[in-house]
Amino acid sequence: TIINSCGSFYDMVHYGHSNQLRQAKAMGDYLIAGVHTDAEISKHKGPPVFTQEERYKMVRAIKWVDEIVEGAPYVTTLETLDKHNCDFCVHGDDITLTVDGKDTYEEVKRAGRYRECRRTQGVSTTDLVGRMLLMTKAHHSNIDNPDYQQHTDNFGKVCALALYGPKGHSPWTGVSQFLQTSQKIIQFASGKEPQPGDTIIYVAGAFDLFHIGHVDFLEMVYKQAERPYVIVGLHFDQEVNRYKGKNYPIMNIHERTLSVLACRYVSEVVIGAPYAVGKDLLDHFKVDLVCHGKTEVFPDKDESDPYAEPKRRGIFRAIDSGNNLTTDDIVQRIIENRLQFEARNQKKEAKEMAVIEAMKKRDQLEQSEAAAQNAH
């Protein structure tokens, strides 16, 4: 069974999208992901966070994707499915609208070639952008923080509230808190143990807002051996904030875990890895090689080099992925486009609310007609 997961959503690739692709792949045998151009996304949704080339590479790196279609049309038609020999297409249970408010999957739904998967609760591009725009440390630990609530109200809610009253929220655009479960980690994890002959490679970091810079680095790490088994050590939120400052990390440890596990170059993740890559860690995982990118290595709390032990063993390697993009750069893109992003989310929610109202009216009409027929 060949599935098409045609994504209006890949304007900023995050673990919610990865989870959608994981669910889609489970419905068949071969998954083709359609990724839109910058022009298409800008027309229907607003400015994308990543360029189309960055998004193509990001989606290719998600381990459940077998193939991507570059420049996929925003409206998925039967012609699109037939062109790529797809049996059906899959989308999340949120709604995707064109610039004039039409359902982009209307044609394939009518033809019975549409399947739906569940949206990942607690994450959206809207939410992540909101965290970046809100320069506070509160976004992980205190979602009830009044500053956060005030910001989210301004960010995509005001328009809907004004039009539809206090309960006028779209169920798809808005901010909620991601709740990690062991089941979710199991679904994302490869579950593969290292085999004899594998080269065990260890890398550590924040891997915040998992992006194309991370993908290029991990791909380069993966290429360091013939049979690589790549383990990523993720630092806890407080540790990341210690060395990065500001309001980092944007994503909490649970979100970062899923983001990294979704990458096809990663075999295992250490959740809350120690900052110093010491003897115990190296011996426990039988690490053959430790890699680090071009980003600055901050000293440990005692001012020591966190990579002193792998350097002493002669197993440390600095990797140049050729990509200079950092999480700071992404946040900067968001800040520079702040007004456009806020306008985008206001429009998006207003459109979604209009569709919800239309659906309610249609349901009410059908109920009235059914009641009238029963009366006769």
Side-chain angles (χ1 to χ4, degrees), residues 174-214:
V175 179
S176 53
Q177 201 166 20
F178 173 70
L179 298 174
Q180 182 69 285
T181 63
S182 57
Q183 183 61 32
K184 188 62 68 191
I185 294 175
I186 290 165
Q187 289 170 342
F188 271 60
S190 68
K192 292 176 184 173
E193 298 280 337
Q195 300 301 309
D198 286 356
T199 300
I200 298 172
I201 308 173
Y202 181 78
V203 300
F207 291 89
D208 193 15
L209 283 181
F210 195 75
H211 56 72
I212 191 63
H214 298 134

Side-chain angles (χ1 to χ4, degrees), residues 243-286:
Y243 63 81
K244 290 206 72 175
K246 299 180 186 173
N247 65 327
Y248 292 114
I250 304 292
M251 283 183 164
N252 67 36
I253 184 71
H254 305 303
E255 297 173 306
R256 292 184 284 119
T257 297
L258 294 188
S259 299
V260 174
L261 280 174
C263 180
R264 66 173 68 252
Y265 306 117
V266 175
S267 301
E268 182 63 286
V269 167
V270 181
I271 303 167
Y275 188 69
V277 185
K279 180 180 182 300
D280 290 348
L281 185 143
L282 296 174
D283 292 346
H284 178 81
F285 291 108
K286 299 181 173 61

Side-chain angles (χ1 to χ4, degrees), residues 22 49 55 87 118 165 177 206 217 230 244 276 313 317:
R22 179 191 65 78
V49 180
R55 287 181 289 106
D87 296 286
R118 293 179 64 189
Q177 201 166 20
F217 168 67
V230 178
K244 290 206 72 175
R313 296 186 184 196
R317 192 176 296 175

Side-chain angles (χ1 to χ4, degrees), residues 94-268:
D94 54 335
I95 196 161
T96 310
L97 305 172
T98 62
V99 69
D100 51 1
K102 291 180 181 173
D103 183 351
T104 57
Y105 293 92
E106 190 177 339
E107 184 178 317
V108 291
K109 282 178 180 176
R110 278 203 310 264
R113 291 173 68 182
Y114 175 83
R115 305 282 187 280
E116 210 160 73
C117 58
R118 293 179 64 189
R119 181 181 176 275
T120 306
Q121 291 300 313
V123 65
S124 67
T125 301
T126 310
D127 177 25
L128 294 175
V129 170
R131 295 185 205 178
M132 286 178 255
L133 291 175
L134 181 68
M135 283 305 191
T136 174
K137 294 180 184 179
H139 61 252
H140 302 307
S141 58
N142 188 7
I143 204 102
D144 297 320
N145 175 282
D147 291 341
Y148 194 91
Q149 289 299 332
Q150 184 183 357
H151 174 78
T152 58
D153 282 347
N154 293 337
F155 196 79
K157 293 280 172 60
V158 170
C159 183
L161 280 168
L163 289 170
Y164 305 107
K167 293 186 178 176
H169 294 320
S170 164
W172 307 300
T173 294
V175 179
S176 53
Q177 201 166 20
F178 173 70
L179 298 174
Q180 182 69 285
T181 63
S182 57
Q183 183 61 32
K184 188 62 68 191
I185 294 175
I186 290 165
Q187 289 170 342
F188 271 60
S190 68
K192 292 176 184 173
E193 298 280 337
Q195 300 301 309
D198 286 356
T199 300
I200 298 172
I201 308 173
Y202 181 78
V203 300
F207 291 89
D208 193 15
L209 283 181
F210 195 75
H211 56 72
I212 191 63
H214 298 134
V215 168
D216 283 343
F217 168 67
L218 289 169
E219 183 181 15
M220 194 64 74
V221 167
Y222 188 84
K223 289 177 177 176
Q224 298 302 304
E226 199 171 312
R227 288 177 50 187
Y229 186 92
V230 178
I231 301 173
V232 175
L234 289 177
H235 302 140
F236 278 132
D237 298 343
Q238 283 180 311
E239 190 71 72
V240 175
N241 191 255
R242 177 187 69 81
Y243 63 81
K244 290 206 72 175
K246 299 180 186 173
N247 65 327
Y248 292 114
I250 304 292
M251 283 183 164
N252 67 36
I253 184 71
H254 305 303
E255 297 173 306
R256 292 184 284 119
T257 297
L258 294 188
S259 299
V260 174
L261 280 174
C263 180
R264 66 173 68 252
Y265 306 117
V266 175
S267 301
E268 182 63 286

